[in-house]
Each structure stands twice: as C-alpha cells, then as structure tokens.
Amino acid sequence: MGVDLRQVVAGVLTVTMFVMLGNMIKREHFDSAHEKLPGMAEEIRYEDKPLEQGITSLSKSGGPWNENSGELKPCWEKPESDALGDSKGSITFSLINGPEYHISQISAAVVVAKYLGATLVIPDIRGTNPGDERRFGDIYDVDKFIQNLDGVVNVVREQPSDTSAEDVAVVRVPSKVTEDYISEHVEPVFRTKSNIRLATYFPSVNMRKKKTQKSELDAVTCLALFGTLELQPDVREVVDSMVERLKTLSRKSSGQFVAIDLRLDMLEKRNCQGSKKCFGIQEIKEFLQKVGFNKDTTIYLTQSRWHSSLDTLKDFFPKTYTKESIMPVDKKAKFLSSKDSEFEKVIDFYICSESDVFVPAISGLFYTNVVGKRIASGKNQILVPAIIEGTSAPADDYLSSYVVKKNHLAHACFC
C-alpha cells in the first residue's frame, strides 16, 4: 500500500503545532509568576508569552549567538533650556530596593515635577534594612543627572534648609503615574503645601507600551526612564572591568558571554521546585544546553558568592562565574564586602543589561527593566527559559515577547 506524501506532511505539521502549544502552556507558568513589591496591595502578573521562530542559528563560535541590532535613537525631543518658569514648590523622594526600582521611581518623580512646575530635589538611596542609606552620588553621577534634566525640570542638590518636616506632605503615586492621577491626587496637596514627598508604589511591573493616545508627558517619561541615570565613575569603572574580564574569558565564543539573573535566596523564596514561577539551577542548565550553548560558553550569575549547589551548572559550563571571582581584588572591600548589597545590585543590573545574552531565571521588575535598557541599546537576545521536550530547540523560540512583539515601553521611546 502506497504512502500519501501529503498525509505525511500534514502529520508532521500537526505534531509540530502540538509541541509549540505545549511550550506555550508551560511558558505561561513563568509568565504569570507573582511577586510582592513594596507598597503593593495586590499580586502581580508577569507578561511574557512564547514566540514564533526567529533567525538564530548556531554560530562558528559554538553557540546560538545573534549580532546586536545597534543602539536605537530616542524618539523624544528634549525641551529647550529656557522653557522652564519659576518653581512653584519642591518634590523630594528616596530611591529604594535596587536599580530596577530606581528607574521607575525617578521617572515618576520627574513626571510629577514637570506637571506641577516643581523643583526636584536629588534623592537619597535607601536599602531594604533600616539604616541602609547612601547618597545619590555614591552610585549615580549627580552632575550628569542634573545636566540630563536641564530644560525639563529644575533640579537642586538639597532641599532648602528652611523647609521643615511639617511643611512637607507625603503623597503616594503609582510607578507609571498619569496626568489624570497627578491632577486628582497630587496637585490639590501640592497647591496647599507646595512641598511634597513622593512614595512610589508598584501596582504592576508590566512594562508594555500604552495603546492609548499619547500625552505631552510621554516624552518626559521616556527621558526620565532611559536618559537620566548614569553610573558615577568609580562604579562605572568596576562594571566595565568586569564586563571586559568576562569578554576576555570568552575567547572561544568571540568575546560573547551570557548573563543569568539567578539568585539562590530568591529561588528559595519563590519555591521553584515543581513550579514554573521561576527556574532552578538544573532547569537553567538543561535549557542552555538544549538551545545550543556549549561547554565553552562563559556565564555570569547574579548570585554574589559561590554556593555548592551551583556546581551542577559549572559541571557542564566550567566558565561560570559570580562577582567574587571576576571583580578586581582592590575593589572587593568597597563593592562586595560592604554593609549592604546596594552596589552588588547595581553591578548585576548593568552587567545583565550589557551582556550578549540575558537569561532571567526569575521573573519580575529586574527582568522588565533590564529588557528596557537592552532594547534601547540594540541587545535583543533575551531568552526566557522553559522546560524543553526533546533534545534541542531553536533559541529564538524563547526570545522575550517584549522583543518579538515590540510591545515594551522602550519601543515607544526609541526609533
């Protein structure tokens, strides 16, 4: 009995569709992971879905590396420096919980200050523990921050000494604050007190671009998110030296390396075993293997110090490193052995933003804001893990949907 070739082809296509559907269902466990954020009264759902197949192929260097698309150009225009009127009051606030939060907190404060015509006071930086407090200039470049906002809002380094605590009203604002919210909830208080302190809360970590009509503050939001914060020289030097070290260790992959956001304390909190809210060490190892990374791949982990449980990953990928093994010795006392982890968080955020490939083992705000910085710089190879059936799969099947669908807020800010 002869075989109908059309039936064979149809059968293969059907099996392929079921495999893709299975991957989609499994990926949704990761996409809908939950995280409690400061100031939140409700749980958060994370937006990322499986993707269509892309263009990645195994390169001569032995891995599914893509070339960067090149840094994008901002779509916004900065106002002229003489566009500002007299200040009507002041806005104070603090940066808390790490750089992935700082970006959104800065954006909210700048947007509020612009709308109200208020002067923005340089914030301090506070850690998660009581007493963990740093100056803004310990991590970020103060002069560049003021320069980047020139013509947008007035910025001062300190609040006037004649302003007392009784003169300042505390106002809560969402991380993606809107003109309507400011008009209804912030402006009435500002008119009465003239000096307000913002407390930013995060109702969602979703960073999808808006489908609504653009407002006059959209350009300000883009500038605040992507064009204000720059590392101060000492921190920038450490990040650059670590990135350069990783590239040097990656000679067999043409200087390319993978950064993985994998922190053991977070994995324990999320109870990853048997759950797809996040991915454990063994699952990440198998994922990397199946999408084509070989034993010569250089890997950077956001885990600060080595733990024996990471040996599972290192057994196959011997070039796996944490901060303690690649940070310059003379920098460890300040940046790795300090009383809090603020410097470590900043280093992780920027290395993950600048690596050739980024793999988030944990979903959340770190992931979404790293994605934004990577999109702006043209580093689109962001692979969201999944449990892969079979022995291999194209890496582009697991590209972040923010990249494939071009629906991240960064896509509204860069052309």
Side-chain angles (χ1 to χ4, degrees), residues 87-91 112-113 115-119 169 171 182 185-197:
S87 175
K88 301 174 183 177
S90 67
I91 304 290
V112 171
Y115 184 92
L116 297 175
T119 294
V171 181
I182 298 172
H185 300 283
V186 184
E187 189 171 20
V189 180
F190 183 74
R191 286 178 177 173
T192 302
K193 302 289 289 188
S194 297
N195 300 292
I196 60 175
R197 181 173 180 81

mmCIF file with all atom_site columns, all heavy atoms in Angstrom, residues 87-91 112-113 115-119 169 171 182 185-197:
data_model
loop_
_atom_site.group_PDB
_atom_site.id
_atom_site.type_symbol
_atom_site.label_atom_id
_atom_site.label_alt_id
_atom_site.label_comp_id
_atom_site.label_asym_id
_atom_site.label_entity_id
_atom_site.label_seq_id
_atom_site.pdbx_PDB_ins_code
_atom_site.Cartn_x
_atom_site.Cartn_y
_atom_site.Cartn_z
_atom_site.occupancy
_atom_site.B_iso_or_equiv
_atom_site.pdbx_formal_charge
_atom_site.auth_seq_id
_atom_site.auth_comp_id
_atom_site.auth_asym_id
_atom_site.auth_atom_id
_atom_site.pdbx_PDB_model_num
ATOM 1   N N   . SER A 1 87  ? 9.882  78.111 39.877 1.00 0.00 ? 87  SER A N   1
ATOM 2   C CA  . SER A 1 87  ? 9.448  76.937 40.613 1.00 0.00 ? 87  SER A CA  1
ATOM 3   C C   . SER A 1 87  ? 8.278  77.280 41.529 1.00 0.00 ? 87  SER A C   1
ATOM 4   O O   . SER A 1 87  ? 8.233  78.343 42.149 1.00 0.00 ? 87  SER A O   1
ATOM 5   C CB  . SER A 1 87  ? 10.610 76.377 41.435 1.00 0.00 ? 87  SER A CB  1
ATOM 6   O OG  . SER A 1 87  ? 10.164 75.315 42.240 1.00 0.00 ? 87  SER A OG  1
ATOM 7   N N   . LYS A 1 88  ? 7.330  76.371 41.611 1.00 0.00 ? 88  LYS A N   1
ATOM 8   C CA  . LYS A 1 88  ? 6.147  76.568 42.442 1.00 0.00 ? 88  LYS A CA  1
ATOM 9   C C   . LYS A 1 88  ? 6.217  75.775 43.745 1.00 0.00 ? 88  LYS A C   1
ATOM 10  O O   . LYS A 1 88  ? 5.277  75.777 44.534 1.00 0.00 ? 88  LYS A O   1
ATOM 11  C CB  . LYS A 1 88  ? 4.897  76.149 41.660 1.00 0.00 ? 88  LYS A CB  1
ATOM 12  C CG  . LYS A 1 88  ? 4.699  76.930 40.366 1.00 0.00 ? 88  LYS A CG  1
ATOM 13  C CD  . LYS A 1 88  ? 3.538  76.389 39.567 1.00 0.00 ? 88  LYS A CD  1
ATOM 14  C CE  . LYS A 1 88  ? 3.400  77.130 38.240 1.00 0.00 ? 88  LYS A CE  1
ATOM 15  N NZ  . LYS A 1 88  ? 2.308  76.586 37.392 1.00 0.00 ? 88  LYS A NZ  1
ATOM 16  N N   . GLY A 1 89  ? 7.322  75.050 43.956 1.00 0.00 ? 89  GLY A N   1
ATOM 17  C CA  . GLY A 1 89  ? 7.466  74.238 45.162 1.00 0.00 ? 89  GLY A CA  1
ATOM 18  C C   . GLY A 1 89  ? 8.533  73.188 44.923 1.00 0.00 ? 89  GLY A C   1
ATOM 19  O O   . GLY A 1 89  ? 9.302  73.268 43.959 1.00 0.00 ? 89  GLY A O   1
ATOM 20  N N   . SER A 1 90  ? 8.592  72.172 45.789 1.00 0.00 ? 90  SER A N   1
ATOM 21  C CA  . SER A 1 90  ? 9.640  71.157 45.659 1.00 0.00 ? 90  SER A CA  1
ATOM 22  C C   . SER A 1 90  ? 9.078  69.750 45.772 1.00 0.00 ? 90  SER A C   1
ATOM 23  O O   . SER A 1 90  ? 8.054  69.508 46.408 1.00 0.00 ? 90  SER A O   1
ATOM 24  C CB  . SER A 1 90  ? 10.720 71.366 46.723 1.00 0.00 ? 90  SER A CB  1
ATOM 25  O OG  . SER A 1 90  ? 10.208 71.122 48.021 1.00 0.00 ? 90  SER A OG  1
ATOM 26  N N   . ILE A 1 91  ? 9.783  68.809 45.140 1.00 0.00 ? 91  ILE A N   1
ATOM 27  C CA  . ILE A 1 91  ? 9.462  67.387 45.193 1.00 0.00 ? 91  ILE A CA  1
ATOM 28  C C   . ILE A 1 91  ? 10.669 66.656 45.778 1.00 0.00 ? 91  ILE A C   1
ATOM 29  O O   . ILE A 1 91  ? 11.774 66.750 45.252 1.00 0.00 ? 91  ILE A O   1
ATOM 30  C CB  . ILE A 1 91  ? 9.172  66.806 43.793 1.00 0.00 ? 91  ILE A CB  1
ATOM 31  C CG1 . ILE A 1 91  ? 8.052  67.569 43.096 1.00 0.00 ? 91  ILE A CG1 1
ATOM 32  C CG2 . ILE A 1 91  ? 8.867  65.317 43.880 1.00 0.00 ? 91  ILE A CG2 1
ATOM 33  C CD1 . ILE A 1 91  ? 6.696  67.371 43.690 1.00 0.00 ? 91  ILE A CD1 1
ATOM 34  N N   . VAL A 1 112 ? 5.994  63.979 37.741 1.00 0.00 ? 112 VAL A N   1
ATOM 35  C CA  . VAL A 1 112 ? 5.213  64.789 38.678 1.00 0.00 ? 112 VAL A CA  1
ATOM 36  C C   . VAL A 1 112 ? 5.773  66.209 38.757 1.00 0.00 ? 112 VAL A C   1
ATOM 37  O O   . VAL A 1 112 ? 5.025  67.198 38.717 1.00 0.00 ? 112 VAL A O   1
ATOM 38  C CB  . VAL A 1 112 ? 5.188  64.134 40.076 1.00 0.00 ? 112 VAL A CB  1
ATOM 39  C CG1 . VAL A 1 112 ? 4.563  65.084 41.103 1.00 0.00 ? 112 VAL A CG1 1
ATOM 40  C CG2 . VAL A 1 112 ? 4.394  62.833 40.047 1.00 0.00 ? 112 VAL A CG2 1
ATOM 41  N N   . ALA A 1 113 ? 7.095  66.319 38.874 1.00 0.00 ? 113 ALA A N   1
ATOM 42  C CA  . ALA A 1 113 ? 7.717  67.642 38.970 1.00 0.00 ? 113 ALA A CA  1
ATOM 43  C C   . ALA A 1 113 ? 7.447  68.472 37.715 1.00 0.00 ? 113 ALA A C   1
ATOM 44  O O   . ALA A 1 113 ? 7.180  69.682 37.794 1.00 0.00 ? 113 ALA A O   1
ATOM 45  C CB  . ALA A 1 113 ? 9.216  67.489 39.202 1.00 0.00 ? 113 ALA A CB  1
ATOM 46  N N   . TYR A 1 115 ? 4.910  68.184 35.575 1.00 0.00 ? 115 TYR A N   1
ATOM 47  C CA  . TYR A 1 115 ? 3.488  68.543 35.511 1.00 0.00 ? 115 TYR A CA  1
ATOM 48  C C   . TYR A 1 115 ? 3.173  69.700 36.452 1.00 0.00 ? 115 TYR A C   1
ATOM 49  O O   . TYR A 1 115 ? 2.424  70.618 36.095 1.00 0.00 ? 115 TYR A O   1
ATOM 50  C CB  . TYR A 1 115 ? 2.632  67.331 35.868 1.00 0.00 ? 115 TYR A CB  1
ATOM 51  C CG  . TYR A 1 115 ? 1.140  67.560 35.743 1.00 0.00 ? 115 TYR A CG  1
ATOM 52  C CD1 . TYR A 1 115 ? 0.469  67.275 34.562 1.00 0.00 ? 115 TYR A CD1 1
ATOM 53  C CD2 . TYR A 1 115 ? 0.404  68.067 36.817 1.00 0.00 ? 115 TYR A CD2 1
ATOM 54  C CE1 . TYR A 1 115 ? -0.901 67.487 34.451 1.00 0.00 ? 115 TYR A CE1 1
ATOM 55  C CE2 . TYR A 1 115 ? -0.965 68.290 36.713 1.00 0.00 ? 115 TYR A CE2 1
ATOM 56  C CZ  . TYR A 1 115 ? -1.612 67.995 35.526 1.00 0.00 ? 115 TYR A CZ  1
ATOM 57  O OH  . TYR A 1 115 ? -2.965 68.225 35.430 1.00 0.00 ? 115 TYR A OH  1
ATOM 58  N N   . LEU A 1 116 ? 3.750  69.671 37.646 1.00 0.00 ? 116 LEU A N   1
ATOM 59  C CA  . LEU A 1 116 ? 3.437  70.670 38.669 1.00 0.00 ? 116 LEU A CA  1
ATOM 60  C C   . LEU A 1 116 ? 4.300  71.926 38.564 1.00 0.00 ? 116 LEU A C   1
ATOM 61  O O   . LEU A 1 116 ? 4.020  72.927 39.237 1.00 0.00 ? 116 LEU A O   1
ATOM 62  C CB  . LEU A 1 116 ? 3.608  70.058 40.064 1.00 0.00 ? 116 LEU A CB  1
ATOM 63  C CG  . LEU A 1 116 ? 2.693  68.890 40.413 1.00 0.00 ? 116 LEU A CG  1
ATOM 64  C CD1 . LEU A 1 116 ? 3.065  68.320 41.773 1.00 0.00 ? 116 LEU A CD1 1
ATOM 65  C CD2 . LEU A 1 116 ? 1.224  69.306 40.393 1.00 0.00 ? 116 LEU A CD2 1
ATOM 66  N N   . GLY A 1 117 ? 5.361  71.874 37.747 1.00 0.00 ? 117 GLY A N   1
ATOM 67  C CA  . GLY A 1 117 ? 6.280  73.004 37.697 1.00 0.00 ? 117 GLY A CA  1
ATOM 68  C C   . GLY A 1 117 ? 7.093  73.132 38.968 1.00 0.00 ? 117 GLY A C   1
ATOM 69  O O   . GLY A 1 117 ? 7.451  74.241 39.394 1.00 0.00 ? 117 GLY A O   1
ATOM 70  N N   . ALA A 1 118 ? 7.396  71.998 39.582 1.00 0.00 ? 118 ALA A N   1
ATOM 71  C CA  . ALA A 1 118 ? 8.100  71.975 40.863 1.00 0.00 ? 118 ALA A CA  1
ATOM 72  C C   . ALA A 1 118 ? 9.588  71.708 40.667 1.00 0.00 ? 118 ALA A C   1
ATOM 73  O O   . ALA A 1 118 ? 10.018 71.193 39.632 1.00 0.00 ? 118 ALA A O   1
ATOM 74  C CB  . ALA A 1 118 ? 7.505  70.902 41.771 1.00 0.00 ? 118 ALA A CB  1
ATOM 75  N N   . THR A 1 119 ? 10.376 72.055 41.673 1.00 0.00 ? 119 THR A N   1
ATOM 76  C CA  . THR A 1 119 ? 11.804 71.758 41.681 1.00 0.00 ? 119 THR A CA  1
ATOM 77  C C   . THR A 1 119 ? 12.018 70.363 42.244 1.00 0.00 ? 119 THR A C   1
ATOM 78  O O   . THR A 1 119 ? 11.437 70.000 43.272 1.00 0.00 ? 119 THR A O   1
ATOM 79  C CB  . THR A 1 119 ? 12.567 72.780 42.542 1.00 0.00 ? 119 THR A CB  1
ATOM 80  O OG1 . THR A 1 119 ? 12.479 74.066 41.912 1.00 0.00 ? 119 THR A OG1 1
ATOM 81  C CG2 . THR A 1 119 ? 14.028 72.388 42.691 1.00 0.00 ? 119 THR A CG2 1
ATOM 82  N N   . ALA A 1 169 ? 4.285  67.314 52.719 1.00 0.00 ? 169 ALA A N   1
ATOM 83  C CA  . ALA A 1 169 ? 3.207  66.318 52.735 1.00 0.00 ? 169 ALA A CA  1
ATOM 84  C C   . ALA A 1 169 ? 3.642  65.096 51.939 1.00 0.00 ? 169 ALA A C   1
ATOM 85  O O   . ALA A 1 169 ? 4.238  65.218 50.862 1.00 0.00 ? 169 ALA A O   1
ATOM 86  C CB  . ALA A 1 169 ? 1.938  66.904 52.132 1.00 0.00 ? 169 ALA A CB  1
ATOM 87  N N   . VAL A 1 171 ? 2.851  61.965 49.624 1.00 0.00 ? 171 VAL A N   1
ATOM 88  C CA  . VAL A 1 171 ? 1.829  61.583 48.655 1.00 0.00 ? 171 VAL A CA  1
ATOM 89  C C   . VAL A 1 171 ? 2.270  60.298 47.953 1.00 0.00 ? 171 VAL A C   1
ATOM 90  O O   . VAL A 1 171 ? 3.396  60.206 47.463 1.00 0.00 ? 171 VAL A O   1
ATOM 91  C CB  . VAL A 1 171 ? 1.605  62.692 47.592 1.00 0.00 ? 171 VAL A CB  1
ATOM 92  C CG1 . VAL A 1 171 ? 0.517  62.259 46.607 1.00 0.00 ? 171 VAL A CG1 1
ATOM 93  C CG2 . VAL A 1 171 ? 1.244  64.004 48.258 1.00 0.00 ? 171 VAL A CG2 1
ATOM 94  N N   . ILE A 1 182 ? -2.126 62.654 38.679 1.00 0.00 ? 182 ILE A N   1
ATOM 95  C CA  . ILE A 1 182 ? -1.479 63.821 39.297 1.00 0.00 ? 182 ILE A CA  1
ATOM 96  C C   . ILE A 1 182 ? -2.507 64.912 39.553 1.00 0.00 ? 182 ILE A C   1
ATOM 97  O O   . ILE A 1 182 ? -2.549 65.521 40.629 1.00 0.00 ? 182 ILE A O   1
ATOM 98  C CB  . ILE A 1 182 ? -0.348 64.347 38.393 1.00 0.00 ? 182 ILE A CB  1
ATOM 99  C CG1 . ILE A 1 182 ? 0.739  63.286 38.210 1.00 0.00 ? 182 ILE A CG1 1
ATOM 100 C CG2 . ILE A 1 182 ? 0.263  65.610 39.001 1.00 0.00 ? 182 ILE A CG2 1
ATOM 101 C CD1 . ILE A 1 182 ? 1.789  63.659 37.173 1.00 0.00 ? 182 ILE A CD1 1
ATOM 102 N N   . HIS A 1 185 ? -4.946 63.472 42.488 1.00 0.00 ? 185 HIS A N   1
ATOM 103 C CA  . HIS A 1 185 ? -4.436 63.058 43.795 1.00 0.00 ? 185 HIS A CA  1
ATOM 104 C C   . HIS A 1 185 ? -3.216 63.827 44.297 1.00 0.00 ? 185 HIS A C   1
ATOM 105 O O   . HIS A 1 185 ? -2.958 63.846 45.501 1.00 0.00 ? 185 HIS A O   1
ATOM 106 C CB  . HIS A 1 185 ? -4.067 61.569 43.753 1.00 0.00 ? 185 HIS A CB  1
ATOM 107 C CG  . HIS A 1 185 ? -5.216 60.667 43.427 1.00 0.00 ? 185 HIS A CG  1
ATOM 108 N ND1 . HIS A 1 185 ? -6.195 60.336 44.346 1.00 0.00 ? 185 HIS A ND1 1
ATOM 109 C CD2 . HIS A 1 185 ? -5.563 60.033 42.269 1.00 0.00 ? 185 HIS A CD2 1
ATOM 110 C CE1 . HIS A 1 185 ? -7.072 59.528 43.790 1.00 0.00 ? 185 HIS A CE1 1
ATOM 111 N NE2 . HIS A 1 185 ? -6.719 59.329 42.522 1.00 0.00 ? 185 HIS A NE2 1
ATOM 112 N N   . VAL A 1 186 ? -2.486 64.448 43.404 1.00 0.00 ? 186 VAL A N   1
ATOM 113 C CA  . VAL A 1 186 ? -1.236 65.096 43.821 1.00 0.00 ? 186 VAL A CA  1
ATOM 114 C C   . VAL A 1 186 ? -1.337 66.614 43.799 1.00 0.00 ? 186 VAL A C   1
ATOM 115 O O   . VAL A 1 186 ? -0.948 67.294 44.749 1.00 0.00 ? 186 VAL A O   1
ATOM 116 C CB  . VAL A 1 186 ? -0.062 64.642 42.915 1.00 0.00 ? 186 VAL A CB  1
ATOM 117 C CG1 . VAL A 1 186 ? 1.253  65.246 43.421 1.00 0.00 ? 186 VAL A CG1 1
ATOM 118 C CG2 . VAL A 1 186 ? 0.034  63.123 42.876 1.00 0.00 ? 186 VAL A CG2 1
ATOM 119 N N   . GLU A 1 187 ? -1.889 67.160 42.741 1.00 0.00 ? 187 GLU A N   1
ATOM 120 C CA  . GLU A 1 187 ? -1.927 68.614 42.582 1.00 0.00 ? 187 GLU A CA  1
ATOM 121 C C   . GLU A 1 187 ? -2.668 69.325 43.711 1.00 0.00 ? 187 GLU A C   1
ATOM 122 O O   . GLU A 1 187 ? -2.192 70.373 44.194 1.00 0.00 ? 187 GLU A O   1
ATOM 123 C CB  . GLU A 1 187 ? -2.535 68.981 41.225 1.00 0.00 ? 187 GLU A CB  1
ATOM 124 C CG  . GLU A 1 187 ? -2.406 70.452 40.893 1.00 0.00 ? 187 GLU A CG  1
ATOM 125 C CD  . GLU A 1 187 ? -2.814 70.762 39.464 1.00 0.00 ? 187 GLU A CD  1
ATOM 126 O OE1 . GLU A 1 187 ? -3.540 69.943 38.853 1.00 0.00 ? 187 GLU A OE1 1
ATOM 127 O OE2 . GLU A 1 187 ? -2.407 71.824 38.956 1.00 0.00 ? 187 GLU A OE2 1
ATOM 128 N N   . PRO A 1 188 ? -3.821 68.816 44.176 1.00 0.00 ? 188 PRO A N   1
ATOM 129 C CA  . PRO A 1 188 ? -4.505 69.512 45.283 1.00 0.00 ? 188 PRO A CA  1
ATOM 130 C C   . PRO A 1 188 ? -3.639 69.627 46.529 1.00 0.00 ? 188 PRO A C   1
ATOM 131 O O   . PRO A 1 188 ? -3.648 70.666 47.202 1.00 0.00 ? 188 PRO A O   1
ATOM 132 C CB  . PRO A 1 188 ? -5.740 68.633 45.527 1.00 0.00 ? 188 PRO A CB  1
ATOM 133 C CG  . PRO A 1 188 ? -5.979 67.943 44.224 1.00 0.00 ? 188 PRO A CG  1
ATOM 134 C CD  . PRO A 1 188 ? -4.620 67.679 43.669 1.00 0.00 ? 188 PRO A CD  1
ATOM 135 N N   . VAL A 1 189 ? -2.872 68.585 46.837 1.00 0.00 ? 189 VAL A N   1
ATOM 136 C CA  . VAL A 1 189 ? -1.988 68.623 48.008 1.00 0.00 ? 189 VAL A CA  1
ATOM 137 C C   . VAL A 1 189 ? -0.841 69.595 47.763 1.00 0.00 ? 189 VAL A C   1
ATOM 138 O O   . VAL A 1 189 ? -0.453 70.365 48.649 1.00 0.00 ? 189 VAL A O   1
ATOM 139 C CB  . VAL A 1 189 ? -1.428 67.211 48.309 1.00 0.00 ? 189 VAL A CB  1
ATOM 140 C CG1 . VAL A 1 189 ? -0.514 67.255 49.525 1.00 0.00 ? 189 VAL A CG1 1
ATOM 141 C CG2 . VAL A 1 189 ? -2.553 66.221 48.517 1.00 0.00 ? 189 VAL A CG2 1
ATOM 142 N N   . PHE A 1 190 ? -0.302 69.579 46.560 1.00 0.00 ? 190 PHE A N   1
ATOM 143 C CA  . PHE A 1 190 ? 0.809  70.464 46.221 1.00 0.00 ? 190 PHE A CA  1
ATOM 144 C C   . PHE A 1 190 ? 0.396  71.932 46.303 1.00 0.00 ? 190 PHE A C   1
ATOM 145 O O   . PHE A 1 190 ? 1.165  72.783 46.764 1.00 0.00 ? 190 PHE A O   1
ATOM 146 C CB  . PHE A 1 190 ? 1.313  70.131 44.810 1.00 0.00 ? 190 PHE A CB  1
ATOM 147 C CG  . PHE A 1 190 ? 2.503  70.929 44.378 1.00 0.00 ? 190 PHE A CG  1
ATOM 148 C CD1 . PHE A 1 190 ? 3.760  70.668 44.903 1.00 0.00 ? 190 PHE A CD1 1
ATOM 149 C CD2 . PHE A 1 190 ? 2.369  71.958 43.443 1.00 0.00 ? 190 PHE A CD2 1
ATOM 150 C CE1 . PHE A 1 190 ? 4.873  71.405 44.500 1.00 0.00 ? 190 PHE A CE1 1
ATOM 151 C CE2 . PHE A 1 190 ? 3.464  72.695 43.032 1.00 0.00 ? 190 PHE A CE2 1
ATOM 152 C CZ  . PHE A 1 190 ? 4.721  72.420 43.570 1.00 0.00 ? 190 PHE A CZ  1
ATOM 153 N N   . ARG A 1 191 ? -0.803 72.248 45.869 1.00 0.00 ? 191 ARG A N   1
ATOM 154 C CA  . ARG A 1 191 ? -1.281 73.623 45.934 1.00 0.00 ? 191 ARG A CA  1
ATOM 155 C C   . ARG A 1 191 ? -1.383 74.117 47.374 1.00 0.00 ? 191 ARG A C   1
ATOM 156 O O   . ARG A 1 191 ? -1.168 75.292 47.657 1.00 0.00 ? 191 ARG A O   1
ATOM 157 C CB  . ARG A 1 191 ? -2.649 73.723 45.260 1.00 0.00 ? 191 ARG A CB  1
ATOM 158 C CG  . ARG A 1 191 ? -2.604 73.660 43.739 1.00 0.00 ? 191 ARG A CG  1
ATOM 159 C CD  . ARG A 1 191 ? -4.003 73.713 43.165 1.00 0.00 ? 191 ARG A CD  1
ATOM 160 N NE  . ARG A 1 191 ? -4.006 73.734 41.705 1.00 0.00 ? 191 ARG A NE  1
ATOM 161 C CZ  . ARG A 1 191 ? -5.097 73.651 40.974 1.00 0.00 ? 191 ARG A CZ  1
ATOM 162 N NH1 . ARG A 1 191 ? -6.292 73.546 41.569 1.00 0.00 ? 191 ARG A NH1 1
ATOM 163 N NH2 . ARG A 1 191 ? -5.022 73.671 39.653 1.00 0.00 ? 191 ARG A NH2 1
ATOM 164 N N   . THR A 1 192 ? -1.689 73.184 48.273 1.00 0.00 ? 192 THR A N   1
ATOM 165 C CA  . THR A 1 192 ? -1.829 73.544 49.676 1.00 0.00 ? 192 THR A CA  1
ATOM 166 C C   . THR A 1 192 ? -0.490 73.642 50.393 1.00 0.00 ? 192 THR A C   1
ATOM 167 O O   . THR A 1 192 ? -0.229 74.589 51.141 1.00 0.00 ? 192 THR A O   1
ATOM 168 C CB  . THR A 1 192 ? -2.715 72.511 50.403 1.00 0.00 ? 192 THR A CB  1
ATOM 169 O OG1 . THR A 1 192 ? -3.984 72.448 49.764 1.00 0.00 ? 192 THR A OG1 1
ATOM 170 C CG2 . THR A 1 192 ? -2.898 72.875 51.869 1.00 0.00 ? 192 THR A CG2 1
ATOM 171 N N   . LYS A 1 193 ? 0.388  72.655 50.137 1.00 0.00 ? 193 LYS A N   1
ATOM 172 C CA  . LYS A 1 193 ? 1.637  72.565 50.892 1.00 0.00 ? 193 LYS A CA  1
ATOM 173 C C   . LYS A 1 193 ? 2.863  73.103 50.149 1.00 0.00 ? 193 LYS A C   1
ATOM 174 O O   . LYS A 1 193 ? 3.847  73.508 50.780 1.00 0.00 ? 193 LYS A O   1
ATOM 175 C CB  . LYS A 1 193 ? 1.901  71.105 51.271 1.00 0.00 ? 193 LYS A CB  1
ATOM 176 C CG  . LYS A 1 193 ? 0.812  70.450 52.089 1.00 0.00 ? 193 LYS A CG  1
ATOM 177 C CD  . LYS A 1 193 ? 0.761  71.006 53.506 1.00 0.00 ? 193 LYS A CD  1
ATOM 178 C CE  . LYS A 1 193 ? 1.951  70.553 54.330 1.00 0.00 ? 193 LYS A CE  1
ATOM 179 N NZ  . LYS A 1 193 ? 1.826  70.929 55.742 1.00 0.00 ? 193 LYS A NZ  1
ATOM 180 N N   . SER A 1 194 ? 2.849  73.051 48.840 1.00 0.00 ? 194 SER A N   1
ATOM 181 C CA  . SER A 1 194 ? 3.976  73.486 47.982 1.00 0.00 ? 194 SER A CA  1
ATOM 182 C C   . SER A 1 194 ? 5.195  72.566 48.038 1.00 0.00 ? 194 SER A C   1
ATOM 183 O O   . SER A 1 194 ? 6.047  72.619 47.159 1.00 0.00 ? 194 SER A O   1
ATOM 184 C CB  . SER A 1 194 ? 4.418  74.919 48.336 1.00 0.00 ? 194 SER A CB  1
ATOM 185 O OG  . SER A 1 194 ? 3.380  75.823 48.083 1.00 0.00 ? 194 SER A OG  1
ATOM 186 N N   . ASN A 1 195 ? 5.300  71.754 49.061 1.00 0.00 ? 195 ASN A N   1
ATOM 187 C CA  . ASN A 1 195 ? 6.422  70.817 49.191 1.00 0.00 ? 195 ASN A CA  1
ATOM 188 C C   . ASN A 1 195 ? 5.864  69.432 49.483 1.00 0.00 ? 195 ASN A C   1
ATOM 189 O O   . ASN A 1 195 ? 5.176  69.242 50.501 1.00 0.00 ? 195 ASN A O   1
ATOM 190 C CB  . ASN A 1 195 ? 7.364  71.242 50.325 1.00 0.00 ? 195 ASN A CB  1
ATOM 191 C CG  . ASN A 1 195 ? 7.955  72.618 50.106 1.00 0.00 ? 195 ASN A CG  1
ATOM 192 O OD1 . ASN A 1 195 ? 8.750  72.828 49.204 1.00 0.00 ? 195 ASN A OD1 1
ATOM 193 N ND2 . ASN A 1 195 ? 7.539  73.580 50.938 1.00 0.00 ? 195 ASN A ND2 1
ATOM 194 N N   . ILE A 1 196 ? 6.125  68.486 48.602 1.00 0.00 ? 196 ILE A N   1
ATOM 195 C CA  . ILE A 1 196 ? 5.602  67.140 48.818 1.00 0.00 ? 196 ILE A CA  1
ATOM 196 C C   . ILE A 1 196 ? 6.713  66.104 48.694 1.00 0.00 ? 196 ILE A C   1
ATOM 197 O O   . ILE A 1 196 ? 7.707  66.312 48.003 1.00 0.00 ? 196 ILE A O   1
ATOM 198 C CB  . ILE A 1 196 ? 4.460  66.800 47.831 1.00 0.00 ? 196 ILE A CB  1
ATOM 199 C CG1 . ILE A 1 196 ? 4.951  66.864 46.385 1.00 0.00 ? 196 ILE A CG1 1
ATOM 200 C CG2 . ILE A 1 196 ? 3.266  67.719 48.043 1.00 0.00 ? 196 ILE A CG2 1
ATOM 201 C CD1 . ILE A 1 196 ? 3.890  66.417 45.373 1.00 0.00 ? 196 ILE A CD1 1
ATOM 202 N N   . ARG A 1 197 ? 6.527  65.029 49.413 1.00 0.00 ? 197 ARG A N   1
ATOM 203 C CA  . ARG A 1 197 ? 7.452  63.892 49.344 1.00 0.00 ? 197 ARG A CA  1
ATOM 204 C C   . ARG A 1 197 ? 6.712  62.721 48.710 1.00 0.00 ? 197 ARG A C   1
ATOM 205 O O   . ARG A 1 197 ? 5.648  62.314 49.183 1.00 0.00 ? 197 ARG A O   1
ATOM 206 C CB  . ARG A 1 197 ? 7.955  63.505 50.729 1.00 0.00 ? 197 ARG A CB  1
ATOM 207 C CG  . ARG A 1 197 ? 8.934  62.332 50.711 1.00 0.00 ? 197 ARG A CG  1
ATOM 208 C CD  . ARG A 1 197 ? 9.551  62.081 52.072 1.00 0.00 ? 197 ARG A CD  1
ATOM 209 N NE  . ARG A 1 197 ? 10.476 60.954 52.017 1.00 0.00 ? 197 ARG A NE  1
ATOM 210 C CZ  . ARG A 1 197 ? 11.723 61.018 51.586 1.00 0.00 ? 197 ARG A CZ  1
ATOM 211 N NH1 . ARG A 1 197 ? 12.214 62.177 51.164 1.00 0.00 ? 197 ARG A NH1 1
ATOM 212 N NH2 . ARG A 1 197 ? 12.489 59.953 51.558 1.00 0.00 ? 197 ARG A NH2 1
#
